[in-house]
Amino acid sequence: MAAQGSYPDDGRTVDTMGKDLERLKQRIPLLEYLQRHHWTGHQVSARSEFVGLCPLHEENQPSFYVNAQKNLFYCHGCARGGDLIRFVELSRQLSFCQSVAYLEEELAPSNQLLHHTAAFYQLELRRYPEGIEYVAQRGVHDPHLIEELGIGYARGGNLRPHLQNLGYSLERLLEAGLIGPQGLDAFCRRVIFPCRHQDRIVNLYGRSIGSAFPHRLLPRSKGGLFAWESVRQFRDVILVEGLFDLAVLWQAGFRNTTCAIGTHLTPMQLVQLRENPDRCVYIAFDQDENQAGQNAADALLPCLDQTGLHVRIVSLPAGHDPNSYFVAGATAHDFDHLLEEAPSL
């Protein structure tokens, strides 16, 4: 592996370049990068370690291990290992400097494009009343919270000319999934929540306000737990299904609420939850008539139990999720009572 000193002389010190590299590896966690490139790993016991088939050589038995906390990999089959940059070197047959440039290129354009898209949708929320009216119907009224969460509105039909005026090609918008094959906006008549990971936007979630399928994400990783950078400070965490559930709970003062955007937790999200081994996770999923939310919570229990976390199931009134519970008139005191009554499992 080339040394840091092989960088061209651009006025930075070796120490500064080392810090830049560490920031780069933190912005693209190794496990997320591998999953984004279709690697499948299975968690090894309760540790933050995953094993799967090695993407660097052909094999029939999994021998490729990833330590999500240390951001390192090692394959017992081909005896190669290292960090994210080393993996890119080996998998793409690039030099050290070429690998760094490749990762910066992969990260920067996408991050900037999604940032411009989310900012545009935030402006659109103020321009078209149907978006803000829907947000209000879902019980979210605090303008500061709406701004903090970056909530926007996609009217549909006007994103493409806006982004092309900023210099993005149609091919880039198609590649990102913002525009469909027919040239139409992927998000149309949807309230938008930007999904962030370490202060960068990694995906966009759209909730339909009309008859279209309710949920939509861009065809890329949904990232870690929603707003994890602010929630991770809490020992006890409330886990909900939807982002409007999170919004009304934050509005009511439950800032320790996070969301996996659905009921399935990715390996990265499980690792995030177990950063604090003493953490208690309150699962507040939908109380559906078809038992879907309850069944999802039950299915999640073994995964959380393996990590050693304390788990409690919050029993909402029948037919309610946290969002509809507050819209129906519940108070923070009412929800506090549900948390207190939640049985420990």
Side-chain angles (χ1 to χ4, degrees), residues 48 69 225-239 255-259 265 267-283 301 303-313 344-345:
S48 303
Q69 285 190 333
L225 291 164
F226 192 85
W228 186 246
E229 296 308 308
S230 64
V231 175
R232 71 192 310 172
Q233 63 180 302
F234 297 100
R235 190 193 67 172
D236 297 341
V237 168
I238 303 167
L239 180 66
R255 301 288 300 217
N256 59 329
T257 303
T258 188
C259 174
L265 267 67
M268 184 202 309
Q269 292 168 340
L270 286 169
V271 167
Q272 289 175 321
L273 283 177
R274 73 176 302 274
E275 287 174 354
N276 183 342
D278 297 323
R279 175 167 285 138
C280 179
V281 179
Y282 290 82
I283 301 178
L301 288 177
C303 298
L304 295 177
D305 186 57
Q306 285 183 2
T307 65
L309 294 165
H310 310 290
V311 183
R312 303 178 76 168
I313 301 292
S344 182
L345 303 174

Side-chain angles (χ1 to χ4, degrees), residues 124-139:
E124 295 287 275
L125 184 69
R126 306 188 190 108
R127 292 171 178 162
Y128 299 100
E130 61 263 31
I132 200 67
E133 286 171 3
Y134 180 83
V135 172
Q137 289 171 11
R138 297 298 298 267

Side-chain angles (χ1 to χ4, degrees), residues 3-25:
Q4 292 174 359
S6 61
Y7 270 95
D9 184 7
D10 59 1
R12 294 181 293 169
T13 65
V14 171
D15 182 59
T16 300
M17 288 188 290
K19 291 178 181 177
D20 289 344
L21 293 176
E22 286 305 312
R23 279 194 290 269
L24 176 64
K25 288 184 284 187

Side-chain angles (χ1 to χ4, degrees), residues 147-166:
E147 183 176 353
E148 180 183 2
L149 293 176
I151 299 175
Y153 176 60
R155 179 175 67 88
N158 51 357
L159 176 67
R160 176 178 168 183
H162 171 76
L163 292 177
Q164 288 186 314
N165 285 338
L166 294 178

Side-chain angles (χ1 to χ4, degrees), residues 254 325-326 329-341:
F254 299 94
Y325 183 53
F326 276 90
T331 65
H333 176 76
D334 296 327
F335 194 77
D336 250 331
H337 179 70
L338 295 182
L339 295 178
E340 291 170 2
E341 294 295 314

Side-chain angles (χ1 to χ4, degrees), residues 12 55 61 71 131 136 190 195 204 213 219 246 271 281:
R12 294 181 293 169
Q61 295 296 323
N71 243 358
R190 291 178 183 272
C195 307
L204 298 174
F213 184 75
L246 178 142
V271 167
V281 179

